[in-house]
Amino acid sequence: MVTGCVWWDGDMALAADATLGEAGEFGLISQLVSQFSEWLDTDENVLVGPGDDAAVLRIKHGHVVVSTDLMVEGRHFRRDWASAADVGHRAAAQNLSDVNAMGGTARHLTIGLAAPAELPVAWALDFARGFAEECASVGATVVGGDLTRADEVMIAVTVLGQCTQAPVLRSGARAGDVLALTGRQGWAAGGLAVLGRGFRSPRVLVEAYRRPEPPYGAGREAAEAGATALIDVSDGLLAEAGHLAEASGVAIDVRPAAFEIPDPLQAVGAALGADPLQFILGGGDDHALLATFPDLASVPAGWQVVGEVTEGEGVTVDGGTYDGPTGWTHF
Amino acid sequence: MVTGCVWWDGDMALAADATLGEAGEFGLISQLVSQFSEWLDTDENVLVGPGDDAAVLRIKHGHVVVSTDLMVEGRHFRRDWASAADVGHRAAAQNLSDVNAMGGTARHLTIGLAAPAELPVAWALDFARGFAEECASVGATVVGGDLTRADEVMIAVTVLGQCTQAPVLRSGARAGDVLALTGRQGWAAGGLAVLGRGFRSPRVLVEAYRRPEPPYGAGREAAEAGATALIDVSDGLLAEAGHLAEASGVAIDVRPAAFEIPDPLQAVGAALGADPLQFILGGGDDHALLATFPDLASVPAGWQVVGEVTEGEGVTVDGGTYDGPTGWTHF
């Protein structure tokens, strides 16, 4: 949990509005760790938790899934658009979803927090609590981390998970497979569009953006059902379909008619003068799962068939080019 | 390796002075991954490497050691004080050392890079190469990561390692133990002091700062020799001794006479009008190892006895209070 340590002069009584600078690194680390201990204390696979040079974990199965993500304030989240707890839930969900997208089960996470000295301690603690709660919802625990000062708030998360069967990669889609989706799709993008215009409703979409509800467990379910390729929709459905197509050396056609556009998205589309389908085809952040299956019969209940895999390359919509937004870029 | 993806329009021919903004996320990720592939290709324990939602690793033994560190430009490194490759070596060394400090062996790392669009691609690639080379020096490989845009350069590293015996924690020191050190100590701090004054020599110290040479393998050696507590010196020898004392519930006395002050540190002390001992007692960044052993007979060759463990609390120097710098703080 610790790097860049200093002498710590014991427990500090902190004002409710104390900042990280006032708390000091060690005072804050101690409090952050306490946000995780409720779950750590009962996790028999954490042999050594936060506080030493490294955590020590017992891995029962032989294959470990590992993924890392960065989130930067102003780019991946805004403190005025979501509470600290919301940002914690989102940061955890994004990483837990990566393990879901391999067909695995998340077990342990580390978290690095870089922040200005002016950041309120309460924000950091609420963030940590939300993060730990999201992890706990899938039985995963926070086993360590790091804390440092920076000009902007940045969150670095690494998740470790396990696969009880072969992981499902992006590269296994074959011509003739069907494309299927599970989980809410486009809701978070609708919420983000609303927030971007300064509104706070439809509330259900704003909440979907603030606290995504990835279909945890559906990745493993897809793997057991024989999914040939699997990815989570972090950046946009068509963008992710493009990743599957490229990694698998196939073409993918998406059928917009397969999507029932929920009422709140219709309302946002009408209010913003936008085609609500663009939230579904271009939106990410819900962390839905997109998979290919060898045939219709193997698609599990709760998954919706939204397209097909053919020979060729690239992604089409109803056989043609889609000229709406398909995702977003970092540079 | 990927989050926040966009359509990638194929290989790009990049100018030698191209920036991250010009390269685009995917163009750069592809090139970054190529810095690691030389080693990944022969690592039989990496079942899935960069490019999917997560990496998949085969873990042969049951206990996994995991640690995370953040490095921020201007705070943990400066681009005008060290080359990109140097920063890569340092970032890797810092994390590999955390596994060393548990008595473990580093196996796999993930790396997150946040950077402004203006960062030269060449810097990122040289950094990645240096990072991978340092990992390769201990047989560890880079299995994934993330790349995003931020106002400042930030590096987030997570390392996974294994212990073939019980990990050595910070909390096992007992009164009567001897305190011992292995690895260069104070050299990097001397180099940093020199750079801070605008000088570039003694070159051996500047190089020690730019590319630390942690005593890899000595942690496992200490564990096998029966070390009771173990920590790496990242932040200052006395600060780390303080962590051992606090975690173990003991007092530690450090004996400065045990240290032979190398000529370059004597020269820097004379040039800067500083007691060269302060670099040894207060300096970090060499990633030396500090351990306690039950008796003199169990201290392995190559380790230097530098103090003793007694009942009580806190750290003393020759039985008294030390008023020099003992480490540094992040907030």
Side-chain angles (χ1 to χ4, degrees):
Chain A
M1 197 68 193
V2 178
T3 194
C5 309
V6 289
W7 296 105
W8 183 33
D9 43 14
D11 293 301
M12 286 174 235
L14 286 172
D17 60 349
T19 65
L20 265 55
E22 290 159 358
E25 183 185 15
F26 260 32
L28 184 60
I29 284 178
S30 164
Q31 292 188 62
L32 284 171
V33 169
S34 72
Q35 306 298 315
F36 311 137
S37 55
E38 171 185 341
W39 298 285
L40 273 176
D41 290 348
T42 56
D43 189 337
E44 293 177 353
N45 293 319
V46 179
L47 306 179
V48 178
D52 217 293
D53 296 291
V56 181
L57 314 171
R58 180 191 291 125
I59 303 288
K60 286 180 178 162
H61 301 288
H63 292 184
V64 174
V65 175
V66 58
S67 181
T68 289
D69 272 322
L70 301 176
M71 291 177 73
V72 180
E73 179 174 10
R75 191 158 180 85
H76 300 94
F77 65 92
R78 282 177 53 161
R79 274 187 274 159
D80 57 338
W81 282 3
S83 73
D86 289 337
V87 176
H89 277 272
R90 279 190 68 217
Q94 174 176 330
N95 285 272
L96 297 170
S97 178
D98 282 322
V99 175
N100 200 22
M102 299 297 281
T105 303
R107 293 290 185 216
H108 306 291
L109 298 95
T110 63
I111 182 161
L113 176 64
E118 297 72 36
L119 187 78
V121 168
W123 193 94
L125 294 180
D126 290 346
F127 161 79
R129 182 77 186 175
F131 189 93
E133 284 178 352
E134 185 74 18
C135 295
S137 76
V138 300
T141 50
V142 182
V143 298
D146 192 17
L147 175 67
T148 193
R149 185 171 176 168
D151 292 340
E152 51 195 336
V153 179
M154 181 160 342
I155 299 156
V157 179
T158 297
V159 59
L160 304 182
Q162 290 177 268
C163 285
T164 52
Q165 75 295 315
V168 185
L169 309 188
R170 300 178 175 187
S171 52
R174 296 291 170 261
D177 287 355
V178 296
L179 183 73
L181 180 85
T182 191
R184 299 193 303 203
Q185 172 58 24
W187 292 48
L192 188 59
V194 161
L195 287 166
R197 304 293 182 101
F199 300 112
R200 291 288 184 272
S201 68
R203 184 144 194 93
V204 66
L205 296 186
V206 171
E207 283 305 314
Y209 165 77
R210 289 176 174 161
R211 295 205 185 184
E213 296 180 2
Y216 298 129
R220 181 175 167 179
E221 180 188 52
E224 290 169 351
T228 52
L230 184 58
I231 196 167
D232 71 318
V233 182
S234 311
D235 301 315
L237 194 149
L238 294 182
E240 308 294 0
H243 296 318
L244 287 185
E246 188 185 338
S248 298
V250 296
I252 290 180
D253 187 48
V254 175
R255 306 279 164 74
F259 300 100
E260 191 177 331
I261 298 179
D263 288 343
L265 276 186
Q266 304 236 24
V268 169
L272 303 183
D275 180 356
L277 191 62
Q278 78 174 55
F279 300 121
I280 292 174
L281 295 182
D285 285 326
D286 290 304
H287 302 295
L289 286 184
L290 190 65
T292 55
F293 294 92
D295 49 43
L296 284 172
S298 57
V299 178
W303 289 71
Q304 190 176 7
V305 174
V306 298
E308 65 176 11
V309 181
T310 60
E311 292 185 1
E313 61 181 25
V315 173
T316 49
V317 174
D318 275 341
T321 304
Y322 178 72
D323 56 4
T326 58
W328 63 305
T329 176
H330 284 271
F331 285 104
Chain B
M1 195 69 193
V2 178
T3 194
C5 309
V6 290
W7 296 104
W8 182 34
D9 45 12
D11 294 301
M12 285 174 236
L14 287 171
D17 59 349
T19 65
L20 263 57
E22 290 159 358
E25 183 186 14
F26 260 34
L28 183 60
I29 284 177
S30 164
Q31 292 189 61
L32 284 171
V33 169
S34 73
Q35 305 299 314
F36 310 139
S37 55
E38 171 183 342
W39 298 286
L40 274 175
D41 290 349
T42 56
D43 188 337
E44 293 177 354
N45 293 319
V46 179
L47 306 179
V48 178
D52 218 292
D53 296 291
V56 181
L57 314 172
R58 180 190 292 125
I59 303 288
K60 286 181 178 162
H61 301 289
H63 292 185
V64 174
V65 175
V66 59
S67 181
T68 288
D69 272 322
L70 301 175
M71 292 176 74
V72 181
E73 180 175 10
R75 192 157 180 86
H76 299 96
F77 65 92
R78 283 176 53 161
R79 275 188 274 160
D80 56 338
W81 282 2
S83 72
D86 289 338
V87 175
H89 277 273
R90 278 191 67 217
Q94 174 176 328
N95 285 272
L96 297 171
S97 178
D98 281 323
V99 175
N100 200 21
M102 298 297 281
T105 304
R107 294 290 184 214
H108 307 291
L109 298 95
T110 63
I111 182 160
L113 175 63
E118 297 72 35
L119 187 78
V121 167
W123 194 94
L125 295 180
D126 289 346
F127 161 79
R129 182 77 188 176
F131 189 92
E133 284 178 351
E134 185 74 17
C135 295
S137 76
V138 300
T141 51
V142 183
V143 298
D146 192 16
L147 174 67
T148 193
R149 184 170 175 167
D151 291 341
E152 51 195 335
V153 180
M154 183 158 343
I155 299 156
V157 179
T158 297
V159 59
L160 304 182
Q162 291 175 267
C163 285
T164 51
Q165 74 297 313
V168 185
L169 310 187
R170 298 179 176 188
S171 52
R174 296 293 171 258
D177 286 356
V178 295
L179 182 74
L181 180 86
T182 192
R184 299 193 302 202
Q185 172 56 27
W187 292 48
L192 188 58
V194 161
L195 286 167
R197 304 293 183 99
F199 300 112
R200 290 290 185 270
S201 68
R203 186 145 191 93
V204 65
L205 296 186
V206 171
E207 283 304 315
Y209 164 76
R210 289 176 173 161
R211 296 205 184 184
E213 296 180 2
Y216 297 128
R220 181 176 167 178
E221 179 187 55
E224 291 170 348
T228 52
L230 184 58
I231 198 168
D232 71 317
V233 182
S234 309
D235 301 315
L237 194 149
L238 294 183
E240 308 294 1
H243 297 318
L244 286 186
E246 187 185 339
S248 298
V250 295
I252 290 180
D253 187 49
V254 175
R255 306 280 165 73
F259 299 101
E260 191 176 331
I261 298 178
D263 288 343
L265 276 187
Q266 303 237 24
V268 169
L272 303 183
D275 180 356
L277 191 62
Q278 78 174 56
F279 300 120
I280 292 175
L281 295 183
D285 285 326
D286 291 305
H287 301 296
L289 286 184
L290 189 65
T292 54
F293 294 91
D295 50 43
L296 284 173
S298 57
V299 178
W303 289 72
Q304 190 177 8
V305 174
V306 298
E308 65 177 10
V309 182
T310 61
E311 292 186 2
E313 61 181 25
V315 174
T316 49
V317 174
D318 275 342
T321 305
Y322 178 71
D323 57 3
T326 59
W328 63 305
T329 177
H330 283 271
F331 284 104

